[in-house]
Amino acid sequence: VDNATAPVAVETVERVQAAIGELNFSPQAAARGLATRRTNTIGLIIDEIGRDFFPPMLRGIEAAAQEGGFGLLIHSTGVGSRPPTTPYRAVGEHNTDGLIVFTDGLPDAEIIRLHKNRFPMVLLHRTPPNSLSIPHVVFANKAGARMMVDHLIEAHGYKRIAFLAGPQGNEDSGWRELGYREALEAHRIPIDAALIAAGGFDEKIAQATVGEWLAKGMEVDAIFAADDDSAFGAIRALQQSGKRIPEDVAVAGFDDILPSRYLSTPLTTVRAPIEEAGYQAARTLVQLIRSRRAKSIELLLPTELVIRRSCGCNA
Amino acid sequence: VDNATAPVAVETVERVQAAIGELNFSPQAAARGLATRRTNTIGLIIDEIGRDFFPPMLRGIEAAAQEGGFGLLIHSTGVGSRPPTTPYRAVGEHNTDGLIVFTDGLPDAEIIRLHKNRFPMVLLHRTPPNSLSIPHVVFANKAGARMMVDHLIEAHGYKRIAFLAGPQGNEDSGWRELGYREALEAHRIPIDAALIAAGGFDEKIAQATVGEWLAKGMEVDAIFAADDDSAFGAIRALQQSGKRIPEDVAVAGFDDILPSRYLSTPLTTVRAPIEEAGYQAARTLVQLIRSRRAKSIELLLPTELVIRRSCGCNA
DNA sequence: TTGAAAGCGCTAACAG
DNA sequence: CTGTTAGCGCTTTCAA
């Protein structure tokens, strides 16, 4: 970060540098911010700090922010937060030069308001409300789910495939469910509503759901969970009922978080480039702040099938 | 965040609030910061964004920051960062009202410099250099390790107990090793230097180390890893050599991160209150910023033995 | 090319 | 108790 407005005598530069070192000087961000109307900080708004998903995402964001010379201000609006003092306003407009909004970290109305004010913003793992042209980065969720369910059907001949959905209204989960449905339809397998239930992107919730299925004797060939965490829950419920994986019931997930490969029966899943998504989001935001315009509105990052043992393959 | 310098007519308040809503006004942090010389932001400096340890820690820090009305600026100095442009200066003095320094996120010299400038700072999981009186929060590492090794010896009769140390110079690891040594001495078991090696707080490193031990036929009753991640590595290496846990070799860890209880052989470990430590650090920092003085310099958080199966107990 | 001066938007200290 | 003013530390503009 160099001012370098004009050429200066070398000697002058040296004297100034020496003085800086001696006096232990560093410019005051507030004053600079007031004068330039830029804070050199980007904000990340997230609903909740997750366990396995969050660290790689943050790594990616941090890397791009640092590369761009920006600081990173984090604000989590999660349950248990303080009263409704419009908390995100603090991290919004006048505190940062732009915002990364993770999934449902911000209400639609607030996103719309910020966009109307032309405030730089990139959405991560969600699309803009009202089809506004706000840059966003998302996974190829539908394609990934489609590949997975195709595999379950074609390679293993499973017919009764259950789907453990994510939280209500979650977009990632919605697309994954659509891929699941399309795969079944493409193979002329009727969709059984009883085979679709809530997994909540959460191990405990998924475990409870699958536990109920088992209790009422539901027959399933395979369970496709909307994310790896809920796949873990499914596995746990299955094991508690003495079912073997994949011999009795196959299981597949989505995300490929780190623990997945280390399960006693390694999890077949769809790999999502979590860190890359964070990196691209922050990179896009930095460009947006600098040039006031984004190269592209939607960044759709590819997903990849990761075949391990839990689906019935030996690999 | 209310100005409330003086009582005002209710009607006036309402009109102002209405105007704020309509004009979509929010105060500009930079100007306020310049005038008040406070940023209402605290900084977290961390060397690397870890996988299982980081999220709970951040949750705790965020909670306390929000409670105190502070924003949170995160800066990770990790490998792969940009050139040495004294990067932390940016997150330091003039950008934040105070800093939480996680382990080795900042060089000693920089900590000393900041402390000389009377800059509010709390150290997390390290003690101050030169015994400066900088508030810090740490785990009861030595006590926890001592309890664990005592258990290994007294409950199971293990004699040849190996220790997988953390990274060079890491304080947590140092204390844990001391607890290990004291437990052996207390039971008159000679310390064998060959039984102490690097685990690096890292699964891969630990796996390699234990792999070498096994390759050269070293005999061990139990392995006490300085953290759970390295315990996982030990387990992996043991399994690859066909050793059973705990029948052939017992394993114990430290931290009790989430995956530990879910291993096929659940891990016996020492529980460290990770989130609580983050919370207390941020809380202390907020108090320090507000009152310019801390209630206490050292916050030593208790650790607790968590007995599961990997040590040889049935629990 | 360099130096002086104005002003960013807010708060604090003041006078009315 | 209310309204006015000076000034926080930088950048930018303009004059010398």
Side-chain angles (χ1 to χ4, degrees), chain A residues 179-225:
Chain A
Y180 159 83
R181 288 173 180 271
E182 286 188 3
L184 293 185
E185 282 166 17
H187 291 86
R188 312 218 173 288
I189 300 177
I191 288 168
D192 180 352
L195 287 177
I196 301 179
F201 280 177
D202 180 277
E203 185 166 337
K204 295 257 179 294
I205 295 175
Q207 182 175 355
T209 297
V210 175
E212 282 175 34
W213 283 348
L214 262 20
K216 61 176 137 173
M218 198 170 88
E219 305 250 324
V220 216
D221 297 333
I223 297 174
F224 174 39

Side-chain angles (χ1 to χ4, degrees), chain A residues 50-69:
Chain A
R51 190 164 64 83
D52 290 297
F53 197 89
F54 185 75
M57 180 177 96
L58 191 61
R59 270 212 197 86
I61 293 174
E62 241 276 314
Q66 286 200 29
E67 279 177 24

Side-chain angles (χ1 to χ4, degrees), chain B residues 181-264:
Chain B
R181 288 173 181 271
E182 287 188 4
L184 293 186
E185 282 166 16
H187 292 84
R188 313 219 173 288
I189 299 177
I191 288 168
D192 180 351
L195 287 177
I196 301 179
F201 280 176
D202 181 277
E203 184 165 339
K204 295 258 179 293
I205 295 174
Q207 183 175 354
T209 296
V210 175
E212 282 174 36
W213 282 348
L214 262 19
K216 60 176 137 174
M218 197 169 89
E219 305 249 324
V220 217
D221 297 332
I223 297 174
F224 174 39
D227 84 335
D228 284 358
D229 272 314
S230 41
F232 300 161
I235 289 173
R236 172 146 292 117
L238 255 12
Q239 286 173 334
Q240 282 185 345
S241 300
K243 303 277 189 194
R244 290 165 308 161
I245 300 161
E247 292 82 359
D248 299 324
V249 179
V251 174
F254 203 115
D255 278 350
D256 195 27
I257 57 179
L258 230 137
S260 303
R261 70 183 331 147
Y262 293 132
L263 295 181
S264 53

Side-chain angles (χ1 to χ4, degrees), chain A residues 3-87:
Chain A
N3 290 19
T5 313
V8 184
V10 184
E11 192 222 349
T12 311
V13 173
E14 282 173 354
R15 283 180 50 213
V16 169
Q17 293 290 3
I20 286 178
E22 263 178 63
L23 299 180
N24 204 281
F25 171 87
S26 78
Q28 193 160 313
R32 179 177 283 192
L34 185 56
T36 58
R37 320 181 123 278
R38 301 182 76 265
T39 63
N40 290 314
T41 300
I42 65 179
L44 167 63
I45 302 214
I46 187 170
D47 47 352
E48 206 184 342
I49 294 166
R51 190 164 64 83
D52 290 297
F53 197 89
F54 185 75
M57 180 177 96
L58 191 61
R59 270 212 197 86
I61 293 174
E62 241 276 314
Q66 286 200 29
E67 279 177 24
F70 282 78
L72 179 64
L73 200 53
I74 292 198
H75 185 94
S76 78
T77 62
V79 278
S81 283
R82 292 176 305 161
T85 36
T86 59

Side-chain angles (χ1 to χ4, degrees), chain B:
Chain B
V1 187
D2 195 350
N3 291 19
T5 313
V8 183
V10 184
E11 192 222 348
T12 311
V13 172
E14 281 174 355
R15 282 181 51 213
V16 170
Q17 293 291 1
I20 286 178
E22 261 178 64
L23 299 180
N24 206 281
F25 170 87
S26 79
Q28 193 160 311
R32 178 177 284 190
L34 185 56
T36 58
R37 321 179 123 278
R38 300 180 77 264
T39 63
N40 289 315
T41 300
I42 65 179
L44 168 63
I45 301 214
I46 186 169
D47 47 353
E48 207 184 341
I49 294 166
R51 189 163 64 83
D52 290 297
F53 197 88
F54 185 75
M57 181 177 96
L58 191 62
R59 269 212 197 85
I61 293 174
E62 241 276 314
Q66 286 200 28
E67 278 177 24
F70 282 77
L72 179 64
L73 200 52
I74 292 197
H75 185 94
S76 79
T77 63
V79 278
S81 283
R82 290 178 305 161
T85 36
T86 59
Y88 37 81
R89 190 65 66 84
V91 80
E93 296 154 291
H94 299 294
N95 244 337
T96 58
D97 297 336
L99 238 39
I100 294 176
V101 180
F102 177 76
T103 56
D104 305 313
L106 226 46
D108 281 10
E110 182 64 10
I111 293 178
I112 294 167
R113 190 184 68 78
L114 289 167
H115 180 253
K116 273 191 187 142
N117 296 354
R118 320 196 80 250
F119 189 70
M121 204 171 14
V122 171
L123 310 183
L124 189 46
H125 303 309
R126 66 159 294 171
T127 51
N130 301 350
S131 303
L132 293 173
S133 75
I134 302 172
H136 51 281
V137 2
V138 294
F139 296 138
N141 287 304
K142 197 175 81 165
R146 174 69 194 264
M147 285 189 289
M148 176 58 78
V149 180
D150 279 350
H151 172 81
L152 261 20
I153 298 170
E154 295 168 7
H156 301 285
Y158 302 135
K159 293 257 188 284
R160 292 190 54 79
I161 302 174
F163 180 71
L164 277 174
Q168 265 299 340
N170 178 285
E171 276 192 32
D172 285 322
S173 176
W175 288 109
R176 291 168 196 181
E177 179 170 341
L178 202 55
Y180 159 84
R181 288 173 181 271
E182 287 188 4
L184 293 186
E185 282 166 16
H187 292 84
R188 313 219 173 288
I189 299 177
I191 288 168
D192 180 351
L195 287 177
I196 301 179
F201 280 176
D202 181 277
E203 184 165 339
K204 295 258 179 293
I205 295 174
Q207 183 175 354
T209 296
V210 175
E212 282 174 36
W213 282 348
L214 262 19
K216 60 176 137 174
M218 197 169 89
E219 305 249 324
V220 217
D221 297 332
I223 297 174
F224 174 39
D227 84 335
D228 284 358
D229 272 314
S230 41
F232 300 161
I235 289 173
R236 172 146 292 117
L238 255 12
Q239 286 173 334
Q240 282 185 345
S241 300
K243 303 277 189 194
R244 290 165 308 161
I245 300 161
E247 292 82 359
D248 299 324
V249 179
V251 174
F254 203 115
D255 278 350
D256 195 27
I257 57 179
L258 230 137
S260 303
R261 70 183 331 147
Y262 293 132
L263 295 181
S264 53
T265 304
L267 185 70
T268 288
T269 187
V270 180
R271 178 171 300 147
I274 302 172
E275 180 166 343
E276 177 68 12
Y279 182 83
Q280 292 297 346
R283 219 174 113 76
T284 303
L285 182 58
V286 167
Q287 288 175 344
L288 193 58
I289 291 169
R290 292 235 169 89
S291 65
R292 303 304 300 184
R293 43 196 224 81
K295 287 186 179 169
S296 66
I297 294 299
E298 177 164 288
L299 230 64
L300 185 72
L301 303 186
T303 51
E304 179 192 352
L305 212 52
V306 178
I307 302 297
R308 298 204 183 95
R309 286 211 33 228
S310 70
C311 64
C313 289
N314 326 306

Side-chain angles (χ1 to χ4, degrees), chain A residues 237-249:
Chain A
L238 256 10
Q239 286 173 334
Q240 282 186 345
S241 301
K243 303 276 187 193
R244 291 164 308 160
I245 300 162
E247 293 81 359
D248 300 323
V249 179

